Every structure is written in structure tokens, then in C-alpha cells.
Amino acid sequence: MKDEIRNYTEPEKFLESRMILHRFYKNISSGYMLVQPLMKAENLLPDQYADLLKLQYILVTCLRCVTDLNFMQGSDAFNRPRLARHNICEVLRSITDTLNEILFIDTDIHIDFQHEGEELFTELDVPRVEYILFSIIENSLLYGPKDVKIVLRLKQKDKHIHISVKEKSSAIAKQDFEALFDKYKRVTSGTINPTVRQGLSLALAKQAAEEMDGALLAENQKTGLKLTLILPCRGASVGAKDNPYTLEPEKIYMVFADYLLEKLKKQAEQAGLPVPTDI
């Protein structure tokens, strides 16, 4: 048994399993996208709508499992730097546009990207930056108001890049703010849903920022929670050649699976259908 476990920690087995997971979540995501327009079809019978809703819930649950497996497999690789030159404005615009077009369609939720000045190029660990921003945004979606508005702002200060994510809502209680980065901490006030337990996302996001020689800071403002990712500029210059970046829609469905599951449960409640349960 120990030999079998050791075999799956070898680089070849590691890459093979990652490829299998990648193909799996691509196929499951495609299935989810195909079901979406069917649910909006005219003359759809209640039983058909209920079956499609249940099918979507099953698909997203599978994506949630893939997220856990992918994180466990990538924990070792995640600790190694993966720096490459990117146009950080392009990266943030792609994230914003994809979320609005894919995740927030048919909702009152919206995210804006704001940046003044020239395009900014820097050596960037994109997977870590994605993970941090997605963790912050998902936190707002799960625990913030149902029509939350999010502003993503980019600034360069001295030799650092500041990426702030501002949730337009209201301040949270002092004791809850102080526990914001604690693992598995339940908060009970402000815009946070007291029935949901906060997990590891923000704690790990802060850790990921520190692994990039950066920081993740929080401000408890009257107009809502603001989190700022501060990263050092590495070879930043204006007009330099960069690596193209495009956020795959399939990745959005996998990363935001928890939010999609809650969204499907609410759809079932509004339609007067049995609320899907975890599989």
C-alpha cells in the first residue's frame, strides 16, 4: 500500500492525475453551460425545469469535488514561484469581464475594474493572484448582500502594486473584523450571513500573498469591507512585451462552485421546488 501511495507522488503520476482532473472539469463545465440555456426555454414544464435544476446541482457538486482534489494535488506545486511577465491591467480586465459575462449574468451583482494611467507590466505569479482575488470575491458573494457591487482597483505606489477589492455594503462588527483571517471563524454581524461558517479562503489568501513577498490588508470602512493585495513590482515597465492572458470560463465554474450551489438552491426556493441537498 505504501508503495502505491509513493507512486502517485512521483512527478509522472502527479502530472497524469492533474491532466485527468483537468479533462474532467472541462467536460463537467461544458455540461453545466449546455444546461443553462435549456432552463430558459419557453413552455418548459415544471417537472422538466426541476430535473434540469437537479442536473445542474449535480454537475456543480462534481466541480466542487474537483476543486478540493485539485487544491490537494497542487499544494506542493503551489509553494513554488511561477513568475512570468504580464500586463496586469489585461489580467484584471479579463477577470472582471469574465465574471460579469459568465458568473453574474441574470443577477444584480456587478464588478467594476478601475485603473488610471498607462498599462502596467510586471513579473507576476498569476495562479496565486487569481486564487487571492477569487477568494476575496467569493467571500463577498457568499456573505455579502445579494446585489453586492464590487470594485477592483489597481494602483502603483513607489515600488509596489496595490490591487484593492472593495465591497459596497456596510461595515462589520469590530470583533468580526479582527477575526476576518482566522480559519473556520463564524461571524455574526454586518453584511455576513450568520448561518454560514467562514472557511479557509481568506486565511489561505493571506498566506499566498505573503509567499509572494506581499501582503493582504483589510479595512473595515463604513461603506463596506475593503481588502488590498500589495505586491512588489518586479521588472515593471511601460510598453514591454508580455505573456497573453485569458481567463477560461470553465475555471470560473469550478472556483465559484460554492456560490453556484447557493444560487441553485435559491432558484429552487423561488420556483417552489424541493431544495437540492448535498450529494
Side-chain angles (χ1 to χ4, degrees):
M1 185 67 179
K2 290 183 179 179
D3 291 337
E4 292 177 4
I5 295 173
R6 191 177 297 112
N7 287 338
Y8 279 93
T9 63
E10 294 174 358
E12 295 81 5
K13 292 290 184 179
F14 175 81
L15 293 175
E16 180 184 349
S17 58
R18 288 297 294 272
M19 289 177 64
I20 292 172
L21 279 177
H22 182 74
R23 287 197 297 268
F24 180 75
Y25 95 71
K26 291 273 285 189
N27 291 334
I28 294 295
S29 299
S30 298
Y32 177 84
M33 287 187 280
L34 288 172
V35 174
Q36 276 191 308
L38 293 177
M39 295 186 67
K40 300 177 183 178
E42 296 182 3
N43 302 322
L44 193 65
L45 297 175
D47 288 347
Q48 293 173 326
Y49 182 85
D51 289 340
L52 289 173
L53 191 67
K54 187 174 181 180
L55 176 58
Q56 275 198 319
Y57 194 87
I58 292 171
L59 292 172
V60 177
T61 302
C62 291
L63 288 174
R64 185 67 187 85
C65 294
V66 173
T67 304
D68 291 337
L69 289 171
N70 203 43
F71 177 78
M72 287 189 291
Q73 283 199 331
S75 60
D76 180 60
F78 197 65
N79 289 329
R80 296 194 295 269
R82 289 164 287 182
L83 293 173
R85 179 178 291 277
H86 285 277
N87 178 346
I88 192 169
C89 299
E90 179 185 65
V91 171
L92 297 180
R93 272 194 295 266
S94 180
I95 290 174
T96 302
D97 293 343
T98 306
L99 287 176
N100 285 327
E101 294 171 7
I102 302 296
L103 196 64
F104 301 151
I105 190 170
D106 298 330
T107 73
D108 294 326
I109 300 172
H110 189 78
I111 180 170
D112 289 320
F113 171 59
Q114 299 178 1
H115 170 64
E116 297 179 0
E118 300 287 341
E119 299 290 282
L120 180 59
F121 296 80
T122 184
E123 296 288 324
L124 198 65
D125 188 339
V126 168
R128 271 194 176 91
V129 172
E130 281 182 342
Y131 178 80
I132 294 168
L133 295 180
F134 291 159
S135 296
I136 296 171
I137 293 170
E138 187 183 41
N139 190 73
S140 294
L141 295 177
L142 289 174
Y143 309 118
K146 63 180 181 179
D147 58 348
V148 65
K149 300 297 185 293
I150 302 169
V151 177
L152 188 63
R153 184 175 286 110
L154 172 66
K155 288 184 179 181
Q156 183 176 4
K157 296 182 180 180
D158 299 324
K159 296 183 179 181
H160 288 83
I161 296 169
H162 290 231
I163 306 172
S164 63
V165 184
K166 175 70 166 62
E167 172 189 310
K168 294 183 178 180
S169 52
S170 59
I172 61 177
K174 182 180 178 181
Q175 67 271 20
D176 294 334
F177 176 73
E178 292 173 349
L180 195 64
F181 294 111
D182 290 356
K183 298 178 181 179
Y184 302 113
K185 191 70 175 182
R186 185 187 294 273
V187 294
T188 57
S189 64
T191 63
I192 307 298
N193 182 351
T195 64
V196 182
R197 180 184 294 271
Q198 281 188 305
L200 287 166
S201 59
L202 290 184
L204 292 177
K206 184 176 182 180
Q207 177 184 326
E210 292 169 352
E211 288 169 352
M212 292 188 289
D213 299 322
L216 183 60
L217 307 179
E219 295 178 57
N220 193 16
Q221 301 179 347
K222 291 183 179 179
T223 53
L225 189 64
K226 177 182 178 181
L227 290 109
T228 302
L229 172 62
I230 303 175
L231 297 172
C233 289
R234 292 187 171 96
S237 60
V238 175
K241 186 178 180 180
D242 68 305
N243 293 287
Y245 172 83
T246 303
L247 179 58
E248 297 178 353
E250 295 90 350
K251 191 171 187 178
I252 291 297
Y253 293 122
M254 185 179 73
V255 173
F256 289 91
D258 283 341
Y259 165 70
L260 291 173
L261 289 175
E262 291 300 317
K263 185 178 176 181
L264 289 169
K265 288 179 181 179
K266 290 177 182 177
Q267 283 182 257
E269 290 177 352
Q270 293 172 355
L273 298 171
V275 177
T277 56
D278 293 336
I279 299 172

